[in-house]
Amino acid sequence: MKRGRLRIYVGAAPGAGKTYAMLSEAHRRIERGTDCVAAHVEHHGRPRTEAMLDGIEQVPQKELEHHGGKFIEMDVDAVLARRPTVALVDELAHTNVPGSRNAKRWQDVEELLAAGVDVVTTVNIQHLESLQDIVESITGIRQQETIPDEVVRRADQIELVDMSPEALRRRMAHGNIYAPAEVDAALSHCFRPGNLMALRELALLWVADRADEHLRKYRGEHQVSTIWGSRERIVIGLAGGPEGRTLIRRAARLAEKGAGGEVLAVYISRSGGITSASPEELTLQRTLVENLGGTFHHVIGEDIPSALLEFARGVNATQIVLGASRRRAWRYVFGRGVSATVAVNSGPDLDVHIVTHERGARERGLPEARRTQLDRRRVLWGWLVGVAGPVLLTLLVEGVDDGLGLTNTMLLFLSLTVASALLGGMRPAVASAVLGSLLLNYYFTPPLRQWSIHGTENIFALVVFVGLAVSVASVVGLAARRTHQAARLRAESEVLSFLAGSVLRGEDSLDALLERVRETFGMESVALLERESDVDPWTCTGSVGSASPVQRPEHADVDVPVGDHLALALSGRVLPAEDRRILVAFAAQAAVVLDRQRLQSEAEQARALAEGNRIRTALLAAVSHDLRTPLAGIKASVSSLRSDEVDWSVDDRAELLAGIEEGADRLDHLIGNLLDMSRLQTGTVVPLIREIDLDEVVPTALSGVPEGSVELDIPETLPMVVVDKGLLERVVANVVENAVKYSPPETSVLVSASVLGDRIEVRVVDRGPGVPDHAKEHIFAPFQRYGDAPRGAGVGLGLAVARGFVEALHGTLTAEDTPGGGLTLVITLRAAGRKTSSNASMVRSIHP
């Protein structure tokens, strides 16, 4: 059965009109005679959307009960029984009520598609799983209903439903999205202009990336090799040297000049073994390009210019950025460098930028350690000089009337043999010596034109000629071998040095180490396999690379055992024996990193358990005394009031009731701090950030302290602060109550506020005993009371809770001495209109 087609309307924000667009599409299809039904459509009481349902057949819904409530869900069986050509299914990310056919609505849609039914559906950008962290940083809300990105990517058509933030806020204000009672809260929180702009950019970028994927697929299917410059896509050719950082920054500046520019850094290595580039330098360049919003790629290719151009055309690049050649001028005799070759072969549709740098015209300090001893082009030149040279020299000397004499001619032939040895090594030199001796014998040694020699001195000269040629070739070959052995040892020592440094610093994660192995040896994938015993199956502890990791060491191209139950498996090609020496060191380091990660995890768990035990112990101590004290007072007062043996007066009853109320207030305060501390410990504090004035918060927070005990000095000209009003009230209340508790009688606490750069400082100043410098941080620890604070004065959570809430608001709470004696607690908050353009910063974080 042919699978149905999926069309998705992606909304940049709630209320942008995706359901309306879906219904409009349904009417267009019905007018063309298509059998289209509404399987499930949510109009949310919006009149215009509800009116669009007229004329569209609606499949009956299923009613389910859950926890005493009734819920309406799509009836998949009814839709399958009806078997329409097109089904409308709203809210693709919706979570079905327990007891439904599937847990998620997108799984219902998968069933319809598998049955051959085309589906038109909707989803908001904030529900995509991969964007949850970014969406939470923008809106401050974690989405509970999410959908895997792959489900949306597989859609046959994706259409963005967009609306400017101003128009969307007008729709909201007119009551076209939410009920009137919810409009003000929505406009001040989720539907703030900054939030909507950030979500809109996020949606545009995501849909643009999907369009780019479809474009690449189309170009591949239709074998389009020319470049379509739909957007500026800049490829940086890295050589592994420090000049790569200059190229990356230059390319990033070029990308910023055009909208939607993209940067791709690529390092191309040959498949002959360990790469010549420093792994440390490549890691720095990878980090730099990713920080600038680009991507890093590692490609294997024997011909670097061709591989670079093939990669650029494969990603539909419009520009290539390369560094000026490090070659000396004389090296151009043997051919163009990479930069010049790429520029010549790039064609009219691909611009090449050659960037100068301080390492231009300088050879790389670390030559590539390859299996062959001499470069192929150099060997070819050696054979050409050694074979063709003597023939051309013979023709040239033969053309001279009087000749040059045997001695001079032999010197010329010897120079060609030496040149052949210098270029191509032993074999071309020996061939040149043999050919030269034969030509000398036949053309220049009496008797001429015969393969014979009459003079003893001529025989000696030819023997010396051949011996000298072979000796020179041997020396050149030995020097070449030693040079490349030194290059290889240097490459190995640099890799091992960096590896040892990372061990000492303890900075490598397992994935980073495996990625370094893959890049160093030019493999497709690297996996670390482990098993509990000799009979247990292998499991993949970590893997990197484009190819799927192998499941057993024997399935890999290269495997290195680490002990009895751990193995490093590499796929891509078979490595030469000399590369395995370095690979063993990497495998041993991988085992060390794995053990270190597990030890760190166990240590974190142990610390968490120890902290939990400490808090539980402190909580039990607090409950055993601090909570029992007010309970005892309440119990005594209630027992007295209930007693029939004493006839209490009105004043006595009022005093006992006041004692009950005071004890209840103390209990409420203590339990509130305990609950707040538990929220901080579990990370469930989610601030609702907005801009407010301090004079809306501070006076309300002082309701729990005695009247006249606090003096306020908050100027009306202060900027607004970006905080959660409720959390800030608790912070100020806890800090002020602590200051009042330790202040001398008849001495008021000063609460002042001022602007300091892009921050607002709230200072709570008391004239109490103060705190020495070494204990200033100690007072913010949970269940701690400084000095001789009496038992029953609290469980020591007030300042700990206050600091936790302030940090949740991206502020700070610190302690400093009050001039003249006492303690000053300083609350630092973000000021609105200065550094609080958080939405703009969030937009930049989405698209650097």
Side-chain angles (χ1 to χ4, degrees):
M1 180 182 297
K2 184 179 178 181
R3 181 180 171 85
R5 296 178 60 82
L6 178 62
R7 178 179 183 136
I8 299 180
Y9 287 94
V10 177
K18 61 186 183 302
T19 303
Y20 192 92
M22 178 183 69
L23 294 174
S24 299
E25 173 66 17
H27 281 289
R28 285 192 293 271
R29 297 195 181 200
I30 291 173
E31 290 174 0
R32 296 196 300 265
T34 304
D35 181 17
C36 182
V37 302
H40 184 88
V41 175
E42 295 279 1
H43 54 74
H44 298 291
R46 299 166 189 167
R48 295 186 62 189
T49 305
E50 189 174 4
M52 290 291 292
L53 282 169
D54 292 342
I56 302 176
E57 178 187 347
Q58 299 185 48
V59 177
Q61 306 287 290
K62 181 189 297 183
E63 185 176 284
L64 298 173
E65 291 189 4
H66 182 64
H67 291 318
K70 293 185 177 181
F71 300 89
I72 302 298
E73 296 288 359
M74 180 176 68
D75 192 339
V76 180
D77 291 325
V79 179
L80 293 174
R82 170 62 176 76
R83 202 166 190 76
T85 303
V86 179
L88 309 180
V89 182
D90 210 358
E91 297 185 357
L92 187 61
H94 171 74
T95 301
N96 293 329
V97 175
S100 300
R101 183 189 187 97
N102 295 301
K104 302 288 289 187
R105 184 164 291 163
W106 64 264
Q107 295 171 325
D108 296 337
V109 169
E110 285 294 319
E111 285 198 39
L112 298 181
L113 294 172
V117 178
D118 294 347
V119 176
V120 181
T121 185
T122 66
V123 69
N124 281 329
I125 194 68
Q126 65 262 31
H127 293 296
L128 295 179
E129 181 64 42
S130 66
L131 305 179
Q132 287 310 292
D133 293 337
I134 298 176
V135 171
E136 184 178 11
S137 68
I138 295 171
T139 64
I141 299 173
R142 190 76 178 182
Q143 295 293 328
Q144 300 301 317
E145 294 188 330
T146 60
I147 182 173
D149 289 45
E150 184 59 30
V151 175
V152 183
R153 285 196 184 99
R154 288 200 302 263
D156 299 283
Q157 298 179 58
I158 298 176
E159 183 171 334
L160 178 65
V161 181
D162 186 26
M163 182 177 289
S164 69
E166 295 78 10
L168 191 56
R169 284 173 60 85
R170 283 196 300 271
R171 288 194 63 194
M172 172 67 71
H174 294 158
N176 294 332
I177 301 176
Y178 290 161
E182 302 174 359
V183 170
D184 290 340
L187 289 176
S188 60
H189 295 125
C190 295
F191 281 75
R192 287 179 297 178
N195 287 358
L196 296 177
M197 284 189 291
L199 289 174
R200 187 187 192 195
E201 183 180 22
L202 191 62
L204 289 169
L205 290 173
W206 194 90
V207 173
D209 286 340
R210 303 293 75 74
D212 193 54
E213 286 181 6
H214 288 296
L215 178 61
R216 286 200 297 268
K217 182 179 178 182
Y218 177 85
R219 285 166 52 84
E221 291 175 349
H222 293 78
Q223 299 180 350
V224 179
S225 59
T226 58
I227 291 175
W228 294 352
S230 54
R231 73 159 86 173
E232 288 296 333
R233 185 172 283 109
I234 303 173
V235 170
I236 311 167
L238 299 178
E243 75 280 357
R245 284 172 266 175
T246 302
L247 304 184
I248 292 170
R249 295 188 184 98
R250 180 61 182 273
R253 291 196 297 271
L254 289 173
E256 289 174 356
K257 294 179 181 179
E262 185 178 354
V263 174
L264 300 91
V266 56
Y267 172 71
I268 299 174
S269 63
R270 293 186 176 93
S271 60
I274 295 177
T275 63
S276 59
S278 166
E280 183 178 12
E281 185 61 40
L282 284 178
T283 300
L284 292 174
Q285 292 176 18
R286 174 194 291 272
T287 302
L288 176 60
V289 73
E290 289 175 351
N291 288 341
L292 293 174
T295 56
F296 184 92
H297 305 268
H298 189 145
V299 176
I300 305 297
E302 293 299 332
D303 186 355
I304 292 179
S306 299
L308 182 60
L309 288 170
E310 183 179 351
F311 176 84
R313 292 192 172 98
V315 298
N316 201 29
T318 57
Q319 302 179 54
I320 295 179
V321 174
L322 298 171
S325 177
R326 300 193 241 192
R327 287 178 150 206
R328 304 288 186 183
W330 64 270
R331 292 288 301 277
Y332 286 95
V333 174
F334 302 104
R336 294 189 294 258
V338 172
S339 301
T341 304
V342 170
V344 169
N345 298 329
S346 61
D349 52 357
L350 187 58
D351 298 333
V352 178
H353 303 267
I354 298 179
V355 180
T356 58
H357 52 85
E358 61 182 9
R359 296 181 65 88
R362 292 169 57 188
E363 294 290 346
R364 179 180 297 179
L366 182 62
E368 184 177 2
R370 301 180 58 197
R371 295 177 63 183
T372 56
Q373 295 179 353
L374 292 174
D375 184 81
R376 293 178 181 177
R377 182 176 296 179
R378 182 173 167 179
V379 172
L380 179 62
W381 273 102
W383 279 105
L384 186 63
V385 171
V387 175
V391 175
L392 293 176
L393 181 59
T394 300
L395 295 176
L396 183 62
V397 174
E398 277 281 286
V400 178
D401 292 336
D402 297 332
L404 300 176
L406 180 59
T407 303
N408 293 329
T409 304
M410 289 181 66
L411 288 176
L412 290 176
F413 274 92
L414 181 61
S415 64
L416 287 176
T417 302
V418 172
S420 175
L422 291 173
L423 289 172
M426 173 69 76
R427 293 181 180 179
V430 171
S432 178
V434 172
L435 179 60
S437 64
L438 292 175
L439 292 174
L440 282 170
N441 183 6
Y442 190 79
Y443 288 102
F444 304 107
T445 304
L448 302 178
R449 303 299 191 275
Q450 295 181 20
W451 301 106
S452 60
I453 302 175
H454 286 286
T456 305
E457 70 279 2
N458 294 335
I459 296 174
F460 180 74
L462 286 176
V463 171
V464 170
F465 170 78
V466 175
L468 185 59
V470 173
S471 300
V472 171
S474 300
V475 171
V476 172
L478 179 62
R481 287 195 300 273
R482 293 291 184 264
T483 299
H484 285 278
Q485 286 174 2
R488 180 171 191 83
L489 291 174
R490 182 178 177 183
E492 291 182 0
S493 64
E494 185 169 347
V495 171
L496 290 174
S497 174
F498 182 74
L499 190 60
S502 67
V503 173
L504 294 175
R505 293 187 296 269
E507 61 185 18
D508 262 348
S509 67
L510 183 59
D511 287 345
L513 179 64
L514 296 180
E515 181 63 26
R516 185 170 292 118
V517 174
R518 190 187 70 81
E519 292 181 354
T520 301
F521 295 96
M523 306 301 284
E524 294 180 359
S525 69
V526 178
L528 186 63
L529 305 178
E530 186 181 23
R531 61 181 176 179
E532 295 295 330
S533 66
D534 294 338
V535 296
D536 289 327
W538 290 93
T539 60
C540 183
T541 304
S543 65
V544 296
S546 57
S548 300
V550 297
Q551 301 303 317
R552 296 179 61 85
E554 54 267 26
H555 296 164
D557 294 315
V558 181
D559 69 282
V560 178
V562 188
D564 295 330
H565 304 134
L566 199 65
L568 189 65
L570 294 81
S571 298
R573 61 190 177 88
V574 178
L575 291 180
E578 57 267 24
D579 282 354
R580 291 177 178 269
R581 194 166 57 247
I582 294 291
L583 192 56
V584 169
F586 272 111
Q589 171 63 358
V592 171
V593 170
L594 180 62
D595 289 340
R596 184 166 59 232
Q597 286 185 351
R598 288 175 175 173
L599 288 174
Q600 288 174 347
S601 177
E602 292 174 1
E604 289 294 333
Q605 293 176 4
R607 277 194 292 269
L609 290 174
E611 179 67 15
N613 288 333
R614 190 187 68 80
I615 291 177
R616 281 193 293 271
T617 302
L619 179 60
L620 289 174
V623 170
S624 65
H625 187 281
D626 296 301
L627 296 182
R628 288 174 63 89
T629 301
L631 278 175
I634 294 173
K635 173 67 175 175
S637 298
V638 171
S639 299
S640 299
L641 287 173
R642 288 174 56 86
S643 175
D644 297 331
E645 299 176 358
V646 181
D647 186 12
W648 301 102
S649 65
V650 175
D651 292 338
D652 291 336
R653 286 179 176 274
E655 184 176 353
L656 290 172
L657 290 172
I660 294 172
E661 184 177 16
E662 181 182 355
D665 289 340
R666 286 179 61 189
L667 277 177
D668 180 67
H669 181 72
L670 291 173
I671 293 173
N673 276 334
L674 288 172
L675 292 175
D676 289 339
M677 196 65 213
S678 68
R679 291 170 62 202
L680 289 171
Q681 292 288 336
T682 56
T684 56
V685 176
V686 180
L688 188 60
I689 304 295
R690 66 185 183 92
E691 298 178 0
I692 62 171
D693 287 315
L694 278 177
D695 54 15
E696 296 181 28
V697 178
V698 176
T700 307
L702 303 181
S703 58
V705 298
E707 187 175 352
S709 60
V710 177
E711 177 184 348
L712 290 179
D713 181 16
I714 301 179
E716 295 182 356
T717 57
L718 281 179
M720 302 176 78
V721 291
V722 183
V723 294
D724 181 299
K725 181 178 180 181
L727 293 184
L728 184 58
E729 284 183 6
R730 292 300 305 272
V731 170
V732 175
N734 284 7
V735 172
V736 171
E737 287 176 10
N738 182 80
V740 170
K741 183 190 306 180
Y742 288 96
S743 292
E746 309 302 327
T747 303
S748 60
V749 172
L750 174 63
V751 179
S752 63
S754 59
V755 181
L756 183 63
D758 54 10
R759 316 290 281 183
I760 300 293
E761 281 192 351
V762 180
R763 309 176 73 87
V764 180
V765 184
D766 68 57
R767 295 291 178 178
V771 177
D773 291 340
H774 71 272
K776 283 187 170 62
E777 284 299 310
H778 184 68
I779 63 176
F780 295 106
F783 303 105
Q784 302 294 329
R785 288 174 299 210
Y786 178 71
D788 56 352
R791 299 292 296 178
V795 293
L797 284 178
L799 293 184
V801 170
R803 171 170 276 192
F805 282 173
V806 169
E807 290 175 350
L809 298 175
H810 306 290
T812 59
L813 174 59
T814 56
E816 58 186 47
D817 294 328
T818 301
L823 185 70
T824 299
L825 294 177
V826 183
I827 305 169
T828 305
L829 304 168
R830 296 182 296 168
R834 295 172 183 257
K835 198 177 179 179
T836 55
S837 138
S838 58
N839 296 326
S841 67
M842 289 171 185
V843 170
R844 287 194 297 272
S845 70
I846 296 169
H847 182 60

